[in-house]
């Protein structure tokens, strides 16, 4: 269902230009309208079955994520808790992915909840992405400690985030933030970039 | 800024956590069977020891899991953490208090 | 004027750069590399202000952050109070003046930027003197992630103030080599101008980096002026050095009296002589070096007064070679002078032969020994021990993950310091899991170590003349004297903590860096106890003063507290809404038309909701998706009424209580399927309620098959309210039969809204106003489009956006309480008149047992009632007390309760209020009074429902 694309608004729609202006110190791009499904499940058979349905095994360890390609295209599965995961897929795929997950879940105990609009996603990369995060995030993001795929729920400045290390080598990260805090996040990132922009200009 | 070792996520700054008071205070089986005094004990009274204390914490800004911890109230040192359902650890003398 | 005390050569200053500055209105010059203090001394200025209690002239005492007296106020480039001249780096255009104690904050906001940054390391080394540098390099060669912080503008520590040779090269070359290797090692961060000011638990250290202070007017506006480094270290090595300690004697506070080591620093680091003619008063060997160095640089050093019975032979001989008289077994007993010391009186120590004498001088250099800088060590919970040989508290037991090296341990000789640095660096690297460290070759110094033990002397014996004021100053900043200490012990105080608070010694900006140990010694002396029995006062962060601006960092203005906004926020802004803060949310308060004040806008909005159609942004309501086989029975435990009996398709209002029976939240529960509910919470309690659910599910009832998921921000929620709301909805939801028969009150329907494209929506017939109302829920992405479509369709009905104020008026007219406004943590559902929402049938629910407690059944509990002021135009202030007297007696006045909500009502044509009042329901019809200003306003107690008591309007 794509008929509604023209009438939907993402939380950072008004920030596109301002975020783009942070280049080249920081590349910060909103990835709007991604499908996000909160999955609660602990039965290992169901977990394996859901991974099979997506073509991406669910993360086996706390504070990690997995990523792969399957029948629903590129999918990421983020560990949020011992029985909680966030499945992230392409926009407009929530209905089929939710159906597939729910089918794979049965008969185990658990739920699949569409939370796509609960958070928005900002992709961060560029020479100072790790520096900028270090201004507000107490988690050690050194590549030796936080390799690619690391996924933590933590605080960035004064908002909660889900932080995924997209590429530890180049310093690329994905930040998921509650929609109501998205503008705060964007304003904070912009402010934290001021010095790095000045140094590069 | 103390680190609290979440049994799932590992050590994180204390601002990510929420305190939940004394651990292992079960909701009474049948509150209506209790006297006012017994009920008041459950609702209003908690231990306040000087020394190791089993208490509940929630990693509220992280994985949102509740867990139990033994903290020395004299030093704030967390002597151990355990997941819900894990047995209460022995609170014997495992520390020497630094004063 | 020319800088007459600047030597033609020497020092670590850039003589090519001349910096102009003004002090106390007097223009002067200095060089890049100077501090304000060194530049002042170069210009012959010692005096920087006056003492705070007695107004006596005071000057520069030290060369670093331990200085107790040289407080200055910066006026240009930006006002900043109470900095020490010894730590202000000189820059062109600096305007400063001396202070007597207190300074003046700027009246304008500070335009500079400040920030914070987290950094993690295996080994943190505090102090880049010889011990710290060796520790850092040892750890770095072992592959550890290392952070080195140092307070000074450059590495070197004590070496900066000497002319020491290491391995037969100037020490600066050795330092430069180490720093270069550190900087070239990946994973090593060297931070200069950075003071570690607090050590906390688990290897957490805060350090303040002064990044652009020294650039003055040239500081780039886009660079954070100061940064708080939030360092998390697996291991910490403290190589914090030592502070020289003075000796207390009469008139020891005059400008021109300095610490001997500091004078040596001014000579070697800044190329400055402290005066023309010096007397040196010492209890140990170190001051001899200062005397000899100064004499070699051309200063007339008249005499070394050594309190020890015998002078150290070699050093004394070197003094004699430079015509410096050495007077052993003597002490300074007083000084003369006004704005500057002019002469020194000396006398033999008790039990020593000799003669009293007076020596002319303009500089008196003092050394009473060295105090290891143990502040951070003590903050790290390290135990301190009194070393009677040094007369100082030294580390006496290292806490986990902390090492100490160098003169911070009490070591006085170079070889010990660097050896300790290597050992501490290696131990830290190993403990942090790094590989065994590569060997660092320890340098050898050409400087003699102390040959003869020092004498511990807190004060020179002797008392002030009868009736004369005591001028033996212990804390020069607090103007506290030996007599003040004796007054404290005489009053019975024995603990140093008490003496500190009684005398205020150690409570100024310097936190007693030069006075603390002396005070401890004086107290022990007065009490006749051993100092080893005394515990030093607790060292607390910050080690040196830190400005609030630095601590705030970028958490200022709009970044101070996040403003949470809904998907509809841009529309509200574009349409002139004024906002109310509800928790962190920005909610439209009201939407004034041009020329309208708040009262007019709210009356208009209320009228639209009651007579036409109006809509508001309800997206901030908390929403929790609750699923699982046991969801119904779980809700039965959480809410006072029976949610499991709710039919699919239905909606029920519920009240939630704590175990104590007090209301904590309310909201609606929607049954979406047998095993699926959507729970709404109040805006401010969304997180609390989700936490509350998780707490019970995880810790009490993990066997229940229930999962709670927050969907607050997934949905945009728009209450559409008023008699014409059905018409507006019909225009947008062609497939939905919104008639009363097909779509009853407290039911919900899924539909598709035609907004140019189809938008799936859930519509709930809920009313918080008493009017016919539909709450429209769509994904947040569609919220804006749906809102705009509602505005367009509703235009011909005069659709009116309204804010929280109108919402409050409408609900109050219906007597609906707001949790947190009508309630605090002491109100039961029964107090609110909501017994109807409390199940009698359920065996248990959270709070039920507490309803039977005697306290909760008292007839005089405060109950929710309405109040109508006798004057229909008078609006009672919220929070005002309710009393049952028409004339106020002398306090205390018996309070019956207070006004919780108060508004002007369009529907009632008058003002009205809600209140909680003792035995309120029994008082309906009574006249009570509310104090408003100086008046007692009569009010009539009423039922809490003012409007449409029959509930006729909810079906339109």
């Amino acid at each position: 269902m794509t008929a509604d694309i023209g009438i939907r608004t993402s939380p950072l729609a008004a920030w596109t230009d301002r975020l783009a202006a942070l280049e080249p110190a920081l590349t910060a791009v909103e990835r709007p309208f991604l499908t996000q499904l909160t999955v609660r499940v602990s039965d290992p058979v169901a977990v394996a079955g859901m991974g099979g349905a997506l073509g991406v095994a669910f993360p086996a360890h706390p504070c990690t994520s997995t990523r792969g390609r399957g029948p629903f295209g590129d999918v990421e599965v983020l560990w949020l808790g011992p029985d909680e995961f966030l499945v992230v897929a392409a926009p407009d795929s929530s209905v089929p992915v939710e159906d597939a997950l729910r089918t794979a879940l049965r008969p185990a105990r658990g739920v699949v909840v569409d939370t796509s609009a609960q958070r928005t996603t900002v992709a961060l990369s560029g020479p100072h992405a790790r520096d900028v995060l270090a201004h507000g995030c107490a988690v050690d993001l050194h590549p030796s400690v936080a390799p690619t795929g690391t996924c933590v729920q933590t605080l960035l400045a004064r908002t909660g985030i889900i932080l995924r290390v997209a590429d530890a080598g180049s310093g690329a990260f994905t930040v998921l933030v509650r929609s109501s805090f998205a503008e705060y996040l964007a304003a904070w990132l912009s402010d934290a970039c001021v010095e790095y922009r000045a140094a590069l200009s | 800024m103390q680190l609290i070792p979440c049994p799932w996520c590992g050590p994180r700054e204390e601002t990510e956590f929420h305190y939940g008071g004394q651990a292992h205070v079960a909701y009474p089986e049948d509150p209506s069977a209790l006297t006012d005094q017994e009920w008041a004990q459950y609702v209003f009274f908690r231990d306040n020891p000087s020394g190791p204390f089993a208490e509940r914490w929630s990693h509220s800004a992280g994985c949102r899991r509740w867990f139990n911890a033994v903290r020395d109230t004299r030093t704030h040192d967390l002597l151990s953490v355990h997941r819900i359902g894990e047995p209460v650890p022995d609170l014997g003398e495992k520390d020497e208090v630094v004063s | 004027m020319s800088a007459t005390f600047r030597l033609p050569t020497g020092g670590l200053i850039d003589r090519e750069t001349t910096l102009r500055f003004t002090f106390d209105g007097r223009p002067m010059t200095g060089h890049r590399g100077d501090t304000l203090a060194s530049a002042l001394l170069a210009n012959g200025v010692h005096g920087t202000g006056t003492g705070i209690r007695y107004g006596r002239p005071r000057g520069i005492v030290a060369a670093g952050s331990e200085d107790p007296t040289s407080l200055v106020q910066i006026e240009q480039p930006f006002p900043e109070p109470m900095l020490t001249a010894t730590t202000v780096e000189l820059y062109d255009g600096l305007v400063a003046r001396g202070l007597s104690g207190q300074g003046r904050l700027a009246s304008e906001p500070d335009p500079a930027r400040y920030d914070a940054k987290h950094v993690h390391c295996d080994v943190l080394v505090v102090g880049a003197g010889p011990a710290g540098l060796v520790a850092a390099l040892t750890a770095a060669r072992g592959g550890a992630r290392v952070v080195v912080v140092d307070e000074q503008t450059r590495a070197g520590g004590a070496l900066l103030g000497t002319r020491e040779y290491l391995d037969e090269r100037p020490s600066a070359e050795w330092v430069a080599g180490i720093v270069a290797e550190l900087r070239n090692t990946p994973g090593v961060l060297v931070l200069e101008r950075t003071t570690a000011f607090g050590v906390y638990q688990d290897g957490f250290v805060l350090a303040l980096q002064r990044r652009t202070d020294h650039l003055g007017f040239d500081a780039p506006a886009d660079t954070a002026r100061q940064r708080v480094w939030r360092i998390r270290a697996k291991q910490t090595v403290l190589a914090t050095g030592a502070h020289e300690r003075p000796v207390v004697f009469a008139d020891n506070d005059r400008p021109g009296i300095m610490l001997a080591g500091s004078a040596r620093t001014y000579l070697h680091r800044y190329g400055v002589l402290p005066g023309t003619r010096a007397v040196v008063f010492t209890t140990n060997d170190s001051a001899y070096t200062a005397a000899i160095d100064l004499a070699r640089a051309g200063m007339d050093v008249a005499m070394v007064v050594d309190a020890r019975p015998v002078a150290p032979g070699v050093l004394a001989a070197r003094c004699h070679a430079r015509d410096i008289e050495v007077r052993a077994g003597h002490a300074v007993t007083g000084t003369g002078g006004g704005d500057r010391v002019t002469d020194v009186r000396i006398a033999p120590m008790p039990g020593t032969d000799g003669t009293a004498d007076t020596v002319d001088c303009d500089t008196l250099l003092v050394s009473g020994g060295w105090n290891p800088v143990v502040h951070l060590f003590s903050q790290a919970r390290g135990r301190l021990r009194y070393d009677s040989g040094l007369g100082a508290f030294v580390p006496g037991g290292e806490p986990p993950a902390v090492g100490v090296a160098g003169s911070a341990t009490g070591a006085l000789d170079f070889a010990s310091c660097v050896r300790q640095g290597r050992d501490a660096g290696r131990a830290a690297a190993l403990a942090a899991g790094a590989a065994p460290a590569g060997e660092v070759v320890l340098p050898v110094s050409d400087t003699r170590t102390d040959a003869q033990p020092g004498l511990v002397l807190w004060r020179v014996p002797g008392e002030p003349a009868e009736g004369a004021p005591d001028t033996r100053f212990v804390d020069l900043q607090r103007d506290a004297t030996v007599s003040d200490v004796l007054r404290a012990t005489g009053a019975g105080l024995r603990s140093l903590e008490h003496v500190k608070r009684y005398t205020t010694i150690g409570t100024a900006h310097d936190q007693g860096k030069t006075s603390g140990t002396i005070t401890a010694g004086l107290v022990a002396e007065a009490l006749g106890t051993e100092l080893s029995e005394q515990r030093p006062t607790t060292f607390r962060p910050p080690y040196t003063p830190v400005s609030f601006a630095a601590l705030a960092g970028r958490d200022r203005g709009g970044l101070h507290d996040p403003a949470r906004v809904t998907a509809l926020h841009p529309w509200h802004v574009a349409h002139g809404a004024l906002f109310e803060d509800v928790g962190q949310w920005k909610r439209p308060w009201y939407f004034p038309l041009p020329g309208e004040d708040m009262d007019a806008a709210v009356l208009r909005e209320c009228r639209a909701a009651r007579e036409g159609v109006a809509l508001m942004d309800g997206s901030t309501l908390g929403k929790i998706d609750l699923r699982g086989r046991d969801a119904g029975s779980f809700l039965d435990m959480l809410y006072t009424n029976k949610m499991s009996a709710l039919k699919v398709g239905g909606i029920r209002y519920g009240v939630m209580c704590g175990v104590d029976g007090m209301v904590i939240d309310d909201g609606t529960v929607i049954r979406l399927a047998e095993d699926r509910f959507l729970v709404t919470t109040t805006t401010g309690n969304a997180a609390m309620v989700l936490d509350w659910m998780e707490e019970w599910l995880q810790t009490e009832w993990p066997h229940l098959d229930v999962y709670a998921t927050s969907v607050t921000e997934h949905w945009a929620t728009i209450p559409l309210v008023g008699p014409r709301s059905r018409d507006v909805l019909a225009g947008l939801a062609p497939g939905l039969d919104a008639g009363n028969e097909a779509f009853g009150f407290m039911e919900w329907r899924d539909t598709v809204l035609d907004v140019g494209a189809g938008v799936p929506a859930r519509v709930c017939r809920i009313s918080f106003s008493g009017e016919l109302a539909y709450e429209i829920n769509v994904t947040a992405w569609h919220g804006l489009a749906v809102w705009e479509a509602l505005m367009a369709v509703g235009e011909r009905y005069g659709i009116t956006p309204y804010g929280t104020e109108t919402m409050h008026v409408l609900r109050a007219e219906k007597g609906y309480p707001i949790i947190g406004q009508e309630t605090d943590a002491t109100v039961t559902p029964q107090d609110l008149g909501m017994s109807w929402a409390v199940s009698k049938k359920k065996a248990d629910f959270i709070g039920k047992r507490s309803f039977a407690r005697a306290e909760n059944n008292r007839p005089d509990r405060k109950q929710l009632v309405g109040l109508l002021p006798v004057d229909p135009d008078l609006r009672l202030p919220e929070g005002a007390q309710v009393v049952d007297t028409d004339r106020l007696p002398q306090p205390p006045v018996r309070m019956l309760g207070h006004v919780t909500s108060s508004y002007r009502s369009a529907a009632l044509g008058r003002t009205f209020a809600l209140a909680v009042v003792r035995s309120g329901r029994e008082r309906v019809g009574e006249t009570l009074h509310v104090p408003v200003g100086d008046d007692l306003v009569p009010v009539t107690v009423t039922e809490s429902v003012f409007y449409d008591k029959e509930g006729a309007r909810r079906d339109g």
Side-chain angles (χ1 to χ4, degrees), chain A:
Chain A
M1 188 166 124
T2 55
D4 61 348
I5 278 177
I7 57 162
R8 61 188 182 184
T9 312
S10 67
L12 290 177
W15 279 81
T16 308
D17 293 345
R18 278 174 283 179
L19 291 178
L22 304 181
E23 297 261 24
L26 180 72
T27 304
V29 183
E30 186 188 21
R31 304 260 181 253
F33 311 125
L34 291 175
T35 292
Q36 297 177 47
L37 300 168
T38 299
V39 177
R40 299 292 294 272
V41 59
S42 41
D43 178 70
V45 176
V47 170
M50 292 169 115
L54 298 178
V56 182
F58 276 38
H61 303 289
C63 302
T64 62
S65 64
T66 53
R67 179 191 185 109
R69 197 168 171 75
F72 304 101
D74 290 330
V75 171
E76 290 172 3
V77 186
L78 317 183
W79 185 95
L80 298 187
D83 69 347
E84 185 172 357
F85 304 90
L86 189 71
V87 171
V88 182
D92 302 310
S93 57
S94 67
V95 173
V97 177
E98 188 174 345
D99 285 349
L101 287 170
R102 206 165 280 158
T103 304
L105 171 64
R106 279 195 289 264
R109 185 175 138 168
V111 296
V112 182
V113 183
D114 186 356
T115 51
S116 299
Q118 174 84 348
R119 298 181 183 90
T120 194
T121 304
V122 182
L124 301 179
S125 59
H128 289 296
R130 191 176 272 118
D131 279 325
V132 167
L133 288 170
H135 285 291
C137 179
V139 172
D140 189 357
L141 296 175
H142 192 270
S144 65
V145 181
T148 300
T150 298
C151 176
V152 293
Q153 294 167 91
T154 184
L155 299 169
L156 179 65
R158 300 196 171 200
T159 181
I161 57 164
I162 301 171
L163 176 66
R164 185 178 172 278
V165 180
D167 182 353
S170 69
F173 304 87
T174 312
V175 175
L176 289 84
V177 64
R178 295 274 290 255
S179 300
S180 64
F181 286 97
E183 292 205 12
Y184 166 79
L185 174 77
W188 187 90
L189 287 172
S190 303
D191 195 66
C193 268
V194 166
E195 193 169 314
Y196 299 106
R197 292 173 68 191
L200 288 172
S201 66

Side-chain angles (χ1 to χ4, degrees), chain C residues 649-653 668-670 717-723 725-726 729 736-750 762-777 816 951-956:
Chain C
I651 303 173
R652 186 163 289 178
Y653 171 80
T668 56
V669 175
I670 298 169
T717 300
I718 306 171
L720 182 67
V721 176
S725 57
R726 186 176 284 139
L729 181 62
L736 179 68
D737 182 351
N740 281 321
E741 304 293 309
F743 190 177
F745 185 60
M746 297 303 262
E747 292 179 358
W748 61 269
R749 297 286 182 273
D750 278 346
R762 176 174 301 134
V763 182
C764 301
R765 266 202 66 188
I766 300 170
S767 180
F768 197 40
S769 59
E771 299 298 326
L772 176 69
Y774 298 87
E775 186 194 85
I776 299 167
N777 293 278
Y816 298 150
R953 302 189 59 83
R954 70 174 199 209
D955 289 331

Side-chain angles (χ1 to χ4, degrees), chain C residues 343-684:
Chain C
D343 57 84
V344 168
R345 292 189 298 283
I346 60 172
M349 289 286 285
T352 309
D353 290 336
T355 48
D357 206 348
T358 299
V359 184
D360 289 342
C361 64
D362 64 356
T363 307
L364 171 58
L365 306 180
V366 182
S367 178
W370 295 83
N371 293 332
V373 177
V374 293
H375 303 64
L376 300 180
F377 177 82
S378 178
Q379 288 177 23
R381 296 186 190 171
R383 265 202 302 270
L384 298 179
R385 158 180 81 73
Y386 179 68
D387 183 317
S388 57
L390 295 173
F393 291 99
V394 300
E398 292 174 359
V402 174
V404 194
S407 54
T409 66
L412 293 172
D413 64 295
F414 183 86
S416 300
C417 288
V418 290
R419 192 177 59 246
Q420 289 175 352
R422 184 187 59 192
D423 294 348
R426 183 194 288 136
L430 286 171
E439 196 76 1
V440 174
V441 178
L442 299 181
V444 177
S445 168
D446 68 333
T447 302
R448 262 168 223 287
T449 55
D450 280 27
Q452 186 173 317
L455 171 73
V456 175
L457 181 66
W458 309 120
R459 58 159 172 150
V460 173
E463 301 300 323
E466 188 72 31
D470 190 359
T471 59
R472 300 167 298 169
F473 289 96
V474 178
D475 185 329
L476 272 65
Q477 184 54 226
R478 287 294 186 232
D479 260 359
T481 64
V482 172
S483 296
D484 291 322
V485 175
L486 298 177
R487 198 169 295 120
T489 54
L493 305 181
R494 303 182 66 83
S495 151
L496 285 180
E497 297 286 0
H498 293 156
V499 172
K500 171 181 174 176
R501 282 151 185 80
Y502 192 88
T503 60
T504 73
I505 288 172
T507 59
H509 68 280
D510 61 321
Q511 292 284 290
K513 289 185 179 67
T514 54
S515 58
T517 308
I518 291 175
T519 307
L522 292 175
V523 168
E525 208 173 271
L527 297 175
T529 59
E530 292 299 316
L531 196 44
S532 54
E533 294 166 27
Q534 280 283 2
R535 270 169 60 149
T537 53
T538 307
F539 293 98
R540 293 191 184 84
Y543 169 68
T544 49
V546 180
S547 72
F548 282 112
L551 293 175
R554 70 178 78 253
D555 292 342
R556 297 167 73 180
L559 296 179
H560 171 60
D561 192 23
R564 299 179 69 181
V565 295
T566 72
L568 306 175
H569 191 72
W571 193 95
H572 306 326
V573 172
H575 291 79
L578 295 182
F579 290 90
E580 180 181 27
D581 291 337
V582 182
Q584 289 179 308
W585 289 98
K586 291 284 175 201
R587 298 197 70 180
W589 193 12
Y590 56 100
F591 291 84
L593 296 177
E596 270 186 341
D597 63 6
M598 178 168 165
D599 276 359
V602 171
L603 288 172
R604 173 180 53 77
E605 291 173 11
C606 286
R607 202 170 294 121
R610 294 247 182 261
E611 296 171 10
V613 60
L615 81 178
M616 81 172 301
D617 184 354
S619 306
T620 60
L621 282 180
K623 305 168 203 78
I624 298 168
D625 180 290
L626 203 69
R627 298 193 206 190
R629 209 180 49 234
D630 301 317
S633 42
F634 178 59
L635 286 172
D636 281 349
M637 284 302 291
L638 288 191
Y639 285 95
T640 58
N641 49 357
K642 197 162 171 71
M643 290 297 178
S644 59
L646 183 62
K647 290 190 170 53
V648 174
I651 303 173
R652 186 163 289 178
Y653 171 80
V655 176
M656 201 178 271
C657 293
V659 288
D660 59 358
M662 303 302 154
V663 175
I664 57 173
D665 202 50
D666 71 345
T668 56
V669 175
I670 298 169
R671 188 157 208 170
L672 299 169
E674 271 307 312
D675 63 347
R676 191 174 166 202
F677 297 81
L678 189 87
V679 176
T680 67
T681 75
T682 56
T683 293

